[in-house]
Amino acid sequence: MSLPAAAVAEPWQRWVAENLLHGVDPPELVDGLVDGGVPRALARRTVHAIARSPGLALAREHERRAQRLAQVARLHTAVRTLAPLERRSAPAAAELFERYWATATPAIFTDIVPSWRAQWTPHSLRERFGDVRIEACTGREGDPRPDANWREHRVEL
């Protein structure tokens, strides 16, 4: 199925495709297009066309492959961290970058944190910001689509 003759702008089409890849429900995308000034009928046709396009199907396959590769990379990193970590005093910046940062080599630097003044303790945060209300997302770990369902995880604290 091709896009309607009066098509929405390419950046919007990309937005729709990206959000479909991340599992956002089509009606939510239609509402987003309408909020962006696209007539509802055109928004529906556009989302429907992109959702059924061979390009999106291919992108989904590539997304699954990328997720599998990312998992392999995470497992590789986890296996590397099973080895005993080097414990030492903090190196100079050049050595830190070349030996640890650039090679993603974990280490324990024993003399950095003791020199910090504790400014982010629960007590100091309560004293400074105890009356401030914030919004946080909680319970995302058990959701297979936490980014798409972020509204359901909002909690005021």
Side-chain angles (χ1 to χ4, degrees), residues 113 116-130:
V113 176
W116 294 352
R117 283 188 32 229
Q119 297 178 7
W120 299 107
T121 65
H123 178 73
S124 67
L125 290 172
R126 190 178 313 109
E127 281 184 355
R128 293 174 66 194
F129 305 107

Coordinates of all heavy atoms in Angstrom, one line a residue, residues 113 116-130:
V113 N 36.2 8.6 46.0 CA 35.0 9.0 46.8 C 35.2 9.5 48.2 O 34.6 10.4 48.6 CB 34.0 7.8 46.8 CG1 32.8 8.1 47.6 CG2 33.6 7.4 45.4
W116 N 35.1 13.2 48.5 CA 33.9 14.0 48.2 C 33.2 14.4 49.5 O 33.2 13.6 50.4 CB 33.0 13.2 47.3 CG 33.4 12.9 46.0 CD1 34.6 13.3 45.3 CD2 32.8 12.0 45.0 NE1 34.6 12.8 44.1 CE2 33.6 11.9 43.9 CE3 31.7 11.2 45.1 CZ2 33.3 11.2 42.8 CZ3 31.3 10.4 44.0 CH2 32.1 10.4 42.8
R117 N 32.6 15.5 49.5 CA 31.7 15.9 50.6 C 30.4 15.3 50.3 O 29.9 15.5 49.2 CB 31.7 17.4 50.7 CG 32.9 18.0 51.4 CD 32.7 19.5 51.7 NE 31.4 19.9 52.0 CZ 30.7 20.9 51.4 NH1 31.4 21.7 50.6 NH2 29.5 21.2 51.8
A118 N 29.7 14.7 51.2 CA 28.4 14.1 51.0 C 27.4 15.2 50.9 O 27.0 15.8 51.9 CB 28.1 13.1 52.1
Q119 N 26.9 15.5 49.6 CA 26.0 16.5 49.4 C 24.6 15.9 49.0 O 23.6 16.6 49.0 CB 26.4 17.4 48.3 CG 27.7 18.2 48.7 CD 28.1 19.1 47.6 OE1 27.5 19.2 46.5 NE2 29.3 19.7 47.7
W120 N 24.6 14.6 48.7 CA 23.3 14.0 48.2 C 22.8 12.9 49.1 O 22.4 11.9 48.7 CB 23.6 13.5 46.8 CG 24.0 14.5 45.8 CD1 25.2 14.7 45.3 CD2 23.2 15.6 45.3 NE1 25.2 15.8 44.5 CE2 24.0 16.4 44.5 CE3 21.8 15.9 45.4 CZ2 23.5 17.5 43.8 CZ3 21.4 17.1 44.8 CH2 22.2 17.8 44.0
T121 N 22.9 13.2 50.4 CA 22.3 12.2 51.3 C 20.8 12.4 51.4 O 20.3 13.5 51.1 CB 22.9 12.4 52.7 OG1 22.5 13.7 53.2 CG2 24.4 12.3 52.7
P122 N 20.1 11.4 51.8 CA 18.6 11.6 51.9 C 18.3 12.7 52.9 O 17.4 13.5 52.6 CB 18.1 10.2 52.5 CG 19.1 9.2 52.0 CD 20.5 10.0 52.0
H123 N 19.0 12.9 53.9 CA 18.8 14.0 54.9 C 19.0 15.4 54.2 O 18.1 16.3 54.3 CB 19.7 13.9 56.1 CG 19.5 15.0 57.1 ND1 18.4 15.1 57.9 CD2 20.3 16.0 57.4 CE1 18.5 16.2 58.6 NE2 19.7 16.8 58.3
S124 N 20.1 15.6 53.5 CA 20.4 16.9 52.9 C 19.3 17.1 51.7 O 18.9 18.3 51.6 CB 21.8 16.9 52.3 OG 22.0 16.1 51.2
L125 N 18.9 16.1 51.0 CA 17.9 16.3 50.0 C 16.6 16.7 50.6 O 15.9 17.6 50.1 CB 17.8 15.1 49.1 CG 19.0 14.7 48.2 CD1 18.8 13.4 47.6 CD2 19.1 15.8 47.1
R126 N 16.2 16.1 51.7 CA 15.0 16.4 52.4 C 15.0 17.8 52.8 O 14.0 18.6 52.7 CB 14.7 15.4 53.5 CG 13.3 15.5 54.1 CD 13.1 14.5 55.3 NE 13.5 13.2 54.9 CZ 14.5 12.5 55.5 NH1 15.3 13.1 56.4 NH2 14.9 11.3 55.1
E127 N 16.1 18.3 53.4 CA 16.2 19.6 53.9 C 16.1 20.6 52.8 O 15.5 21.7 52.9 CB 17.6 19.8 54.6 CG 17.6 19.3 56.0 CD 19.0 19.6 56.7 OE1 19.9 20.1 56.1 OE2 19.1 19.2 57.9
R128 N 16.8 20.4 51.7 CA 16.8 21.3 50.5 C 15.6 21.3 49.7 O 15.1 22.3 49.1 CB 18.0 21.1 49.7 CG 19.3 21.4 50.4 CD 20.5 21.0 49.6 NE 20.6 21.8 48.4 CZ 21.5 21.6 47.4 NH1 22.2 20.5 47.4 NH2 21.5 22.4 46.4
F129 N 15.0 20.1 49.5 CA 13.9 19.9 48.5 C 12.7 19.2 49.0 O 11.9 18.7 48.3 CB 14.4 19.2 47.3 CG 15.7 19.8 46.6 CD1 16.9 19.2 46.8 CD2 15.6 21.0 45.9 CE1 18.0 19.8 46.2 CE2 16.7 21.5 45.4 CZ 17.9 20.9 45.5
G130 N 12.5 19.1 50.3 CA 11.5 18.3 50.9 C 10.1 18.6 50.5 O 9.2 17.8 50.5

